[in-house]
Amino acid sequence: MTLTLLLDASLERIFSFFLLLSPIPRELIQHSNFLNLTTGEVVSITDEELRAAENDEPLEDFPEWQHDAIRIAGEIVETDHYLPLPDRFEIHEYSIMERFCLSVDDEDIRDDLCNAIRGRGAFRYFKDRIHAYGIAEEWYRYRDEALREIAVAWCEEHGIPYTET
């Protein structure tokens, strides 16, 4: 299996690092993402589903819509076919954002951005400021490159071949 790392939004789709869509807000449910080393598929499994598989809890104790996920969780627990993907704490987008702020050449803008990311609402204030300064595209290129570097390092760490397009 060879993963293809794309330099656009597909990078996030392929790795499903922290942008997986869920009908339930992520703050209310904990999940982990795994790469199936056989198929290249990325699966997202809740902590509840992993616990059910680890404890061999009967499927009938869960709603039918969770059965497939619990079966996959069982494969994750019992085989070496799945590898956990980095979670949002390992990715740490705040650090990426902070490095971007420090990389800005204009001292006034740099200082304003650094101030914007302090305290509550840091992500929202940062987004507002980069749009106000007209540097949003620079930020997104910077973030995409940082995510690409994380993805490449992760693949290399786990011996997973990849190609970049």
Side-chain angles (χ1 to χ4, degrees):
M1 171 193 61
T2 300
L3 294 180
T4 301
L5 304 181
L6 303 175
L7 299 179
D8 59 16
S10 298
L11 176 66
E12 292 159 336
R13 180 185 56 78
I14 290 169
F15 279 87
S16 301
F17 283 147
F18 53 84
L19 299 177
L20 283 175
L21 300 176
S22 172
I24 301 170
R26 275 183 267 180
E27 305 81 53
L28 301 178
I29 193 164
Q30 296 295 317
H31 68 271
S32 299
N33 303 313
F34 296 86
L35 174 67
N36 182 318
L37 296 171
T38 306
T39 67
E41 178 186 14
V42 173
V43 296
S44 183
I45 302 294
T46 67
D47 291 351
E48 176 190 29
E49 293 156 351
L50 277 173
R51 278 192 304 276
E54 290 169 344
N55 297 329
D56 289 322
E57 295 180 24
L59 283 179
E60 54 272 2
D61 289 354
F62 296 89
E64 189 172 329
W65 60 266
Q66 269 187 309
H67 290 188
D68 287 340
I70 294 171
R71 285 187 195 98
I72 292 170
E75 291 176 28
I76 291 168
V77 170
E78 296 171 9
T79 72
D80 293 332
H81 298 155
Y82 290 86
L83 190 59
L85 292 171
D87 62 23
R88 62 188 170 133
F89 299 108
E90 293 169 293
I91 301 275
H92 208 272
E93 190 170 8
Y94 181 86
S95 291
I96 298 170
M97 193 169 60
E98 187 173 43
R99 289 193 309 269
F100 174 78
C101 293
L102 295 172
S103 76
V104 173
D105 290 332
D106 183 293
E107 186 177 348
D108 292 334
I109 295 174
R110 181 177 56 242
D111 290 346
D112 188 39
L113 291 175
C114 286
N115 288 329
I117 64 170
R118 305 289 181 239
R120 290 180 56 93
F123 288 92
R124 181 172 39 91
Y125 290 131
F126 174 77
K127 185 176 178 183
D128 290 346
R129 301 314 302 150
I130 61 172
H131 285 283
Y133 288 120
I135 59 173
E137 287 303 313
E138 291 176 46
W139 156 245
Y140 292 118
R141 279 192 302 275
Y142 187 94
R143 185 196 66 175
D144 289 349
E145 177 60 20
L147 292 175
R148 186 197 67 76
E149 290 172 7
I150 292 168
V152 166
W154 183 85
C155 286
E156 290 174 352
E157 177 184 344
H158 296 287
I160 296 174
Y162 62 90
T163 58
E164 295 186 59
T165 59

